[in-house]
Amino acid sequence: MPDSTNPAPHLARIVSEASALQHALRLGPTDRASVLATRINDAQQLAGTALRLFLTLGAQASPPSPADLLLLHQVAQIARAAQEAAAELAAALARSVENQRRADTTSGRVVLIGPTPQQFIASAADLLDHIPALCHAMSRDRQ
Protein backbone atom coordinates (compact mmCIF):
# COMPACT_ATOMS: atom_id res chain seq x y z
CA MET A 1 0.00 0.00 0.00
CA PRO A 2 1.48 3.39 -0.95
CA ASP A 3 2.34 5.84 1.80
CA SER A 4 -0.74 8.04 2.21
CA THR A 5 1.41 11.04 3.21
CA ASN A 6 3.12 11.00 -0.18
CA PRO A 7 0.72 11.89 -3.00
CA ALA A 8 3.22 10.97 -5.76
CA PRO A 9 2.05 7.34 -6.26
CA HIS A 10 -1.57 8.48 -6.26
CA LEU A 11 -0.80 11.21 -8.78
CA ALA A 12 1.05 8.74 -11.00
CA ARG A 13 -2.02 6.48 -10.96
CA ILE A 14 -4.31 9.42 -11.76
CA VAL A 15 -2.09 10.48 -14.68
CA SER A 16 -2.02 6.92 -15.99
CA GLU A 17 -5.80 6.50 -15.76
CA ALA A 18 -6.53 9.92 -17.26
CA SER A 19 -4.12 9.33 -20.15
CA ALA A 20 -5.55 5.88 -20.87
CA LEU A 21 -9.11 7.20 -20.86
CA GLN A 22 -8.20 10.20 -23.00
CA HIS A 23 -6.43 7.89 -25.46
CA ALA A 24 -9.45 5.56 -25.59
CA LEU A 25 -11.75 8.50 -26.30
CA ARG A 26 -9.56 9.95 -29.04
CA LEU A 27 -8.66 6.71 -30.80
CA GLY A 28 -11.06 4.01 -29.71
CA PRO A 29 -14.55 3.27 -30.95
CA THR A 30 -17.22 5.22 -29.10
CA ASP A 31 -20.18 4.65 -31.37
CA ARG A 32 -21.87 2.06 -29.15
CA ALA A 33 -23.85 2.93 -26.05
CA SER A 34 -22.14 0.22 -24.03
CA VAL A 35 -18.69 1.63 -24.86
CA LEU A 36 -19.80 5.11 -23.82
CA ALA A 37 -21.26 3.76 -20.58
CA THR A 38 -17.93 2.07 -19.83
CA ARG A 39 -16.04 5.31 -20.50
CA ILE A 40 -18.43 7.19 -18.20
CA ASN A 41 -17.71 4.66 -15.48
CA ASP A 42 -13.96 5.06 -16.08
CA ALA A 43 -14.21 8.84 -15.70
CA GLN A 44 -16.25 8.48 -12.52
CA GLN A 45 -13.68 6.07 -11.08
CA LEU A 46 -10.96 8.59 -11.92
CA ALA A 47 -12.90 11.28 -10.07
CA GLY A 48 -13.31 8.88 -7.14
CA THR A 49 -9.57 8.29 -7.01
CA ALA A 50 -8.96 12.05 -6.88
CA LEU A 51 -11.60 12.54 -4.20
CA ARG A 52 -10.12 9.77 -2.05
CA LEU A 53 -6.73 11.49 -2.36
CA PHE A 54 -8.39 14.77 -1.37
CA LEU A 55 -9.90 13.17 1.73
CA THR A 56 -6.58 11.57 2.70
CA LEU A 57 -4.61 14.78 2.26
CA GLY A 58 -7.30 16.89 3.92
CA ALA A 59 -7.30 14.70 7.01
CA GLN A 60 -3.53 15.09 7.35
CA ALA A 61 -3.52 18.88 7.01
CA SER A 62 -4.82 20.10 10.35
CA PRO A 63 -4.58 23.07 10.42
CA PRO A 64 -3.81 23.37 6.71
CA SER A 65 -0.86 25.49 5.66
CA PRO A 66 -1.00 27.60 2.48
CA ALA A 67 0.93 24.83 0.69
CA ASP A 68 -1.59 22.25 1.92
CA LEU A 69 -4.47 24.40 0.69
CA LEU A 70 -2.83 24.74 -2.73
CA LEU A 71 -2.39 20.98 -2.92
CA LEU A 72 -6.02 20.38 -1.92
CA HIS A 73 -7.17 22.94 -4.48
CA GLN A 74 -5.25 21.19 -7.22
CA VAL A 75 -6.63 17.78 -6.25
CA ALA A 76 -10.14 19.26 -6.25
CA GLN A 77 -9.51 20.60 -9.76
CA ILE A 78 -8.52 17.12 -10.89
CA ALA A 79 -11.69 15.63 -9.42
CA ARG A 80 -13.74 18.36 -11.07
CA ALA A 81 -12.17 17.77 -14.49
CA ALA A 82 -12.85 14.05 -14.23
CA GLN A 83 -16.45 14.63 -13.14
CA GLU A 84 -17.00 17.14 -15.94
CA ALA A 85 -15.55 14.64 -18.42
CA ALA A 86 -18.02 12.04 -17.11
CA ALA A 87 -20.85 14.55 -17.54
CA GLU A 88 -19.79 15.27 -21.13
CA LEU A 89 -19.71 11.55 -21.86
CA ALA A 90 -23.15 11.12 -20.30
CA ALA A 91 -24.40 13.92 -22.57
CA ALA A 92 -22.85 12.10 -25.55
CA LEU A 93 -24.61 8.90 -24.52
CA ALA A 94 -27.96 10.65 -24.14
CA ARG A 95 -27.56 12.44 -27.48
CA SER A 96 -26.55 9.23 -29.22
CA VAL A 97 -29.58 7.36 -27.89
CA GLU A 98 -31.87 10.28 -28.75
CA ASN A 99 -30.48 10.45 -32.29
CA GLN A 100 -31.02 6.72 -32.73
CA ARG A 101 -34.55 6.97 -31.38
CA ARG A 102 -35.35 9.80 -33.79
CA ALA A 103 -33.87 7.92 -36.72
CA ASP A 104 -35.89 4.81 -35.86
CA THR A 105 -39.23 6.60 -35.41
CA THR A 106 -39.06 9.06 -38.28
CA SER A 107 -39.92 8.04 -41.79
CA GLY A 108 -38.64 11.30 -43.27
CA ARG A 109 -35.47 13.26 -42.94
CA VAL A 110 -34.03 13.43 -39.42
CA VAL A 111 -32.99 16.86 -38.17
CA LEU A 112 -30.44 16.74 -35.39
CA ILE A 113 -30.11 19.78 -33.14
CA GLY A 114 -27.22 20.67 -30.87
CA PRO A 115 -23.78 19.19 -30.44
CA THR A 116 -23.14 15.73 -31.81
CA PRO A 117 -22.07 12.86 -29.56
CA GLN A 118 -18.57 13.18 -31.02
CA GLN A 119 -18.41 16.83 -29.96
CA PHE A 120 -19.28 15.87 -26.39
CA ILE A 121 -16.67 13.11 -26.50
CA ALA A 122 -14.03 15.54 -27.81
CA SER A 123 -14.90 17.93 -25.00
CA ALA A 124 -14.46 15.14 -22.44
CA ALA A 125 -11.07 14.25 -23.94
CA ASP A 126 -10.02 17.91 -23.74
CA LEU A 127 -10.99 18.01 -20.06
CA LEU A 128 -8.92 14.90 -19.42
CA ASP A 129 -5.93 16.59 -21.11
CA HIS A 130 -5.71 19.00 -18.17
CA ILE A 131 -5.34 16.30 -15.52
CA PRO A 132 -1.74 15.23 -16.25
CA ALA A 133 -0.67 18.89 -16.33
CA LEU A 134 -2.28 19.48 -12.93
CA CYS A 135 -0.60 16.39 -11.50
CA HIS A 136 2.80 17.42 -12.83
CA ALA A 137 2.33 20.92 -11.39
CA MET A 138 1.49 19.38 -8.02
CA SER A 139 4.60 17.21 -8.10
CA ARG A 140 6.73 20.18 -9.09
CA ASP A 141 5.23 22.38 -6.36
CA ARG A 142 5.88 19.75 -3.68
CA GLN A 143 9.58 19.57 -4.58
Side-chain angles (χ1 to χ4, degrees):
M1 173 106 184
D3 178 12
S4 63
T5 61
N6 180 9
H10 303 283
L11 294 175
R13 179 177 169 203
I14 288 169
V15 167
S16 175
E17 290 176 6
S19 296
L21 180 55
Q22 191 264 356
H23 182 75
L25 291 175
R26 294 239 190 253
L27 301 176
T30 53
D31 56 344
R32 292 192 339 255
S34 62
V35 172
L36 275 174
T38 299
R39 300 297 177 246
I40 293 166
N41 189 49
D42 294 344
Q44 290 173 335
Q45 287 179 355
L46 178 60
T49 300
L51 290 171
R52 282 187 297 282
L53 177 59
F54 182 92
L55 290 171
T56 299
L57 294 174
Q60 296 169 358
S62 174
S65 69
D68 293 333
L69 291 174
L70 176 61
L71 182 65
L72 290 171
H73 175 72
Q74 291 168 320
V75 173
Q77 287 180 314
I78 292 167
R80 178 181 173 196
Q83 288 176 331
E84 288 178 355
E88 289 292 308
L89 293 172
L93 177 61
R95 181 59 48 91
S96 177
V97 171
E98 174 66 15
N99 290 349
Q100 185 61 47
R101 187 189 64 78
R102 284 184 182 186
D104 290 348
T105 60
T106 306
S107 59
R109 185 174 155 192
V110 176
V111 177
L112 304 176
I113 300 171
T116 66
Q118 280 308 107
Q119 288 170 314
F120 284 118
I121 293 167
S123 176
D126 290 343
L127 287 163
L128 293 168
D129 276 341
H130 298 293
I131 292 175
L134 284 168
C135 290
H136 293 306
M138 289 171 63
S139 295
R140 183 187 64 241
D141 291 346
R142 291 208 34 103
Q143 294 174 352

